[in-house]
Each structure stands twice: as C-alpha cells, then as structure tokens.
Amino acid sequence: MRRWWLIILSIIVMFVTLEVTGKSTFNATAFGTNKSNKPRLIVQNSSSIRIMPLGDSITGGEGGQNSYRRLLWFYLLNGGYNVDFVGSLRVNCGRTPPQPDFDLDNEGHCGWRADQILAQIDQWASSTRPNIVLIHLGTNDLGSGESPESTIEDIRGIIQKLRYYNPYVKILLAQIITTCGSEERKISFNSLIPNLANQTSTYQSPVIVVDQYNGFNVSDTIDGCHPNNTGEGKLASRWFEALKKVF
C-alpha cells in the first residue's frame, strides 16, 4: 500500500516540476536575461524604416561630393532613428563617394528628368517598397525645355506609382534649390509644388512640401548647380526636420 502512495507522490512532484520549469523558460524567452539575471524586455518589432532618396545629381552627389545623404544618415543615426536607405544605386554619379561610411543605397540618377524617373519607378518601388520617399526633381526638366506644368504631372505620376506598391508611403516633396538654368522657371515650378501636394496628399499617404529653395544660394554649390559641403548641410537639415514630423 505504501508503495502505491510513493508512486502517486512521485507523479505529482514530476508534474509540479515540469510546470514551474515551463513558466521559467517562457519568462526567460519573453523578456531575456542579462549577465546579472535581471529581466529585460526584448523589442519584438525591430524592422527599420525604409527611406528612398529619389532625384537627379542633386540627390546622387556630383563632383566628388558625398551628397546630402551622408549628413542626413548621421543626423538620423544620432537621433536614434532606425532607418534603411533604399535604392538600386550605391554610387554618386558613377563614383564612390569620398566618405563611403553611410548607407549608400539611393535613386539619385544624374542628368535624369522626372519623366525618365517615372518610366523606371515601378522597378525600383516594387523591389524596395519604401515607407518614405524624398523627392527632389525638376532641375533637368526645366533645363531641357520641359514646362513646369508637364514636370509637375510627371511627379504626380511618380507619387501614384509609389502608392501602388505601398498605399501608406509618405512623400516629402522638395521645392528645388535655386541653381542651374532659368530662375524664373524655377520660381514658377516651385509655386506649383504646394498645389500638387494639396491635390495628392491623403491621410494615409501624406505629401509634405519641403522648402529647399529659400536660403539656398549659388555660394552653396561647387559649380553653380550642385551642392558643396555647405549646400549639402542645408539640404540634409531641412530633410531631417521634415522627417522628424512623419516618424
């Protein structure tokens, strides 16, 4: 009789031990442990925000410049933001940047117009599906005789295609810097940007105007067109301030 009681008691002890061990294992898995055996919460969703810098050589970086993307990358990194620049390019207008210590991925296509970007955006957006896109386009269009109105329509098409691959994409749309070509045409083009933003912005996919025009001078360029270090600093700062509002 005592033997049966001992067997039953052993079974009860075994089940109690398994339950306690299971709970301990679950807690260690859910919260993790450090060297001092204190629980620490593990972040379950550590995915980064995909940002596509999209444009021409002002985005890509010309004349041996790093482009605004380098400074912006470090602004974001130092600000504690978990981001990933995305794009099909890892060079600056065909060259490795002088300081390639940042996320090099981009869609800064040197010499391209907005209609050329529109023709290729499906391929790039489908493979990267960006959460945020920084658009600085129009300089080459205006310089090659395209009208401000037709360039605006090409950018409208780009926005529509970006939304096809991510209906929640956020668009930061630049009023372009005041360099290269006719100042009058740039002023006309930039005046149309807020209207385009108002017409295309939605609650789930906002289009936000970023003023890269005012306060940018020819002295901020290396050749009258492309930003020097000072110009890149201005561009990066304004992108960063706009980005902080949409994170």
Side-chain angles (χ1 to χ4, degrees), residues 75-172:
Y75 286 156
L76 293 166
L77 195 67
N78 294 333
Y81 297 103
N82 184 14
V83 300
D84 176 22
F85 284 178
V86 298
S88 62
L89 301 175
R90 289 183 59 80
V91 292
N92 293 15
C93 294
R95 294 183 293 272
T96 301
Q99 294 173 282
D101 56 351
F102 62 103
D103 190 337
L104 299 178
D105 298 328
N106 73 95
E107 295 294 356
H109 296 266
C110 299
W112 283 38
R113 303 181 308 270
D115 62 311
Q116 293 173 299
I117 297 290
L118 175 60
Q120 297 293 324
I121 193 64
D122 284 290
Q123 177 183 345
W124 308 327
S126 63
S127 61
T128 60
R129 297 182 185 271
N131 304 114
I132 302 173
V133 180
L134 314 180
I135 300 179
H136 189 292
L137 275 172
T139 302
N140 293 315
D141 304 70
L142 301 178
S144 61
E146 299 291 330
S147 71
E149 291 76 14
S150 68
T151 305
I152 286 290
E153 291 309 307
D154 289 330
I155 295 174
R156 186 193 304 273
I158 291 168
I159 293 170
Q160 292 171 345
K161 289 198 172 189
L162 288 167
R163 284 176 173 161
Y164 178 82
Y165 298 99
N166 180 4
Y168 300 94
V169 66
K170 297 176 175 64
I171 309 291
L172 302 189

Side-chain angles (χ1 to χ4, degrees), residues 67 99 124 126 138 163 170 190 197 219 222-223 236 239:
S67 85
Q99 294 173 282
W124 308 327
S126 63
R163 284 176 173 161
K170 297 176 175 64
N190 282 334
S219 61
I222 58 174
D223 55 6
W239 285 130

Side-chain angles (χ1 to χ4, degrees), residues 159-198:
I159 293 170
Q160 292 171 345
K161 289 198 172 189
L162 288 167
R163 284 176 173 161
Y164 178 82
Y165 298 99
N166 180 4
Y168 300 94
V169 66
K170 297 176 175 64
I171 309 291
L172 302 189
L173 181 58
Q175 290 175 300
I176 62 176
I177 61 176
T178 174
T179 58
C180 295
S182 167
E183 184 70 13
E184 182 179 351
R185 287 167 63 77
K186 282 189 174 58
I187 291 173
S188 176
F189 173 75
N190 282 334
S191 71
L192 298 175
I193 292 289
N195 290 334
L196 175 62
N198 289 335

Side-chain angles (χ1 to χ4, degrees), residues 48-74:
S48 55
I49 299 170
R50 298 182 301 281
I51 300 176
M52 176 186 285
L54 178 65
D56 48 39
S57 56
I58 294 167
T59 296
E62 182 60 278
Q65 292 291 126
N66 287 302
S67 85
Y68 76 74
R69 294 177 287 107
R70 181 177 184 271
L71 282 174
L72 179 57
W73 171 255
F74 284 108

